Amino acid sequence: MKSLEKATADYERAKEKMEASKARYEADLKRFKAAEVAKTEAENLEIVRIIRAMDMSISELEAFKKRMKTELPGRVEIQKEEIEPDDEFRENETEEEV
């Protein structure tokens, strides 16, 4: 009987630890998501501040954006190249996991 009681007690302790760990994980995840939202909001506010500092009308801003795309095509390609290796790496990870 003692081994059953011990096993039951061990089971209950493990269950309590697991539930506490799950609660900590959920709290950490909630904090992480809130920090992620705050970071994105701060980045967006910084972008808006920079754009407003340019003191352009919307039509001038659109023209500037179009001009940047046509006059700096190499820069756009460089940005795309920087993104592609990460995507390829992630594809390899998923293939290996399967």
Side-chain angles (χ1 to χ4, degrees):
M1 247 350 215
K2 286 189 179 184
S3 63
L4 176 59
E5 291 170 0
K6 183 177 186 255
T8 303
D10 288 346
Y11 169 80
E12 291 300 324
R13 278 194 301 274
K15 185 177 176 183
E16 288 172 7
K17 283 185 177 183
M18 184 184 70
E19 289 171 355
S21 178
K22 185 177 178 182
R24 280 192 307 272
Y25 169 77
E26 289 172 354
D28 288 345
L29 184 60
K30 188 175 180 179
R31 277 193 302 275
F32 171 76
K33 287 184 177 187
E36 188 176 38
V37 167
K39 177 182 170 266
T40 301
E41 183 65 21
E43 289 171 344
N44 290 343
L45 289 172
E46 183 67 15
I47 291 167
V48 168
R49 187 189 64 74
I50 291 168
I51 297 299
R52 285 187 177 158
M54 296 173 85
D55 197 31
M56 292 183 184
S57 68
I58 293 177
S59 59
E60 291 171 327
L61 187 59
E62 285 292 327
F64 176 75
K65 184 177 92 173
K66 287 179 185 175
R67 198 169 60 245
M68 289 284 97
K69 284 186 177 181
T70 58
E71 291 178 8
L72 299 174
R75 181 155 176 89
V76 173
E77 290 174 16
I78 290 170
Q79 290 173 349
K80 287 180 183 175
E81 289 174 8
E82 290 174 357
I83 293 170
E84 288 174 5
D86 290 339
D87 292 339
E88 290 173 9
F89 178 72
R90 288 189 184 110
E91 287 175 9
N92 291 338
E93 281 183 337
T94 55
E95 289 174 4
E96 291 173 3
E97 290 173 0
V98 175

